[in-house]
Amino acid sequence: MAEREPLDVLEAIHSTPARRFLGSDPIPDEILWELLDAAIRGPTGGNSQIWGWVVVRDEAKKAQIAEWWKGVFEATYGRADPAALEGGGRVQFSDFDRIVDAETGLDASGLRSVTYLANHIGEAPVLMVPVLTGVAGGPESTRTGMTYGGFIFGAIQNLALAARAYGIGAPLTTFGTGPRLDELLELPEGSTAVAIVPLGYPIRGRFSQPRRMPVEQVVHFDTWGNQQERP
């Protein structure tokens, strides 16, 4: 099995950005099992474990998911000039340029990586699909994302951190999910896919601390607006 990088937990947290330039080299089965075993150690409400994990490696299924994913991406961000993906300039989007280079927005590099994923997500060796079981169509179905996200998103973060230890990118995305994906994966009634996590060995970029707003700007004490300087 491939060597696992020894990482302090905070070092791993601070160096796990969304790696979207993923190659197609296969991920060994034993590593996939390690990642999944790490995922299910994540928190889940009441230890309910109302989850399942679909490992998608079938090329036809990946191609269909990629088609849906790209469709949602382009409906949201518009179409980019393909030539800009390899260049160093800005990636032009129909309605998204206003946040390019903004302090909290995607810079040109970030937009290129997102667009690359939109065009190549089906080439990742694995599309991991976390599934919540027995939640769709219930009395709280209109709040499924808010109510039940806490039952599985901690486990997805565990998956990403474990992938980081093996040098594998695992960017979380919700594009392409919905009833069509549930049907494609033949999920049982009441279950729904909550995300798609492409897994692959990065072919560009590095594991490094992602750009974020200063923590003091987003932390409030007791009431919104009561902020303090970080010691």
Side-chain angles (χ1 to χ4, degrees):
M1 185 165 63
E3 288 291 324
R4 186 177 72 232
E5 182 178 350
L7 289 169
D8 172 87
V9 63
L10 288 179
E11 181 185 359
I13 290 171
H14 279 264
S15 62
T16 306
R19 302 293 304 276
R20 301 185 183 95
F21 289 97
L22 303 177
S24 58
D25 289 349
I27 298 172
D29 283 355
E30 57 266 34
I31 291 180
L32 280 176
W33 284 112
E34 288 287 332
L35 303 188
L36 287 160
D37 196 34
I40 66 165
R41 308 301 162 181
T44 177
N47 198 29
S48 59
Q49 302 177 68
I50 52 171
W51 56 35
W53 306 82
V54 181
V55 180
V56 182
R57 293 188 288 196
D58 178 81
E59 293 299 331
K61 282 185 169 63
K62 288 198 299 175
Q64 180 62 81
I65 293 170
E67 180 182 328
W68 292 333
W69 202 98
K70 187 177 182 181
V72 178
F73 171 83
E74 291 183 345
T76 303
Y77 294 146
R79 293 175 179 268
D81 176 5
L85 297 180
E86 300 301 327
R90 288 175 54 154
V91 179
Q92 299 294 326
F93 286 91
S94 56
D95 301 313
F96 206 53
D97 284 339
R98 61 190 175 81
I99 73 165
V100 176
D101 298 327
E103 181 181 356
T104 59
L106 289 170
D107 58 15
S109 175
L111 283 172
R112 277 196 298 274
S113 73
V114 173
T115 309
Y116 181 90
L117 184 64
N119 286 278
H120 298 276
I121 187 171
E123 298 169 19
V126 174
L127 299 182
M128 189 71 71
V129 182
V131 174
L132 281 171
T133 60
V135 298
E140 295 185 78
S141 60
T142 58
R143 285 170 48 85
T144 295
M146 185 180 297
T147 304
Y148 293 111
F151 284 68
I152 195 168
F153 279 108
I156 296 172
Q157 181 66 5
N158 268 20
L159 178 76
L161 291 171
R164 162 72 180 90
Y166 284 102
I168 294 170
L172 168 66
T173 175
T174 56
F175 280 178
T177 58
R180 295 181 302 183
L181 179 59
D182 298 345
E183 182 178 356
L184 178 71
L185 302 181
E186 301 182 26
L187 301 186
E189 184 176 358
S191 299
T192 185
V194 298
I196 299 170
V197 184
L199 300 176
Y201 295 101
I203 57 174
R204 186 184 303 183
R206 60 191 177 89
F207 289 103
S208 60
Q209 181 165 275
R211 184 169 59 108
R212 294 291 184 265
M213 296 171 63
V215 65
E216 312 92 272
Q217 292 186 19
V218 297
V219 175
H220 307 259
F221 292 85
D222 298 318
T223 56
W224 190 270
N226 183 21
Q227 296 179 293
Q228 300 177 14
E229 292 292 326
R230 181 177 180 177

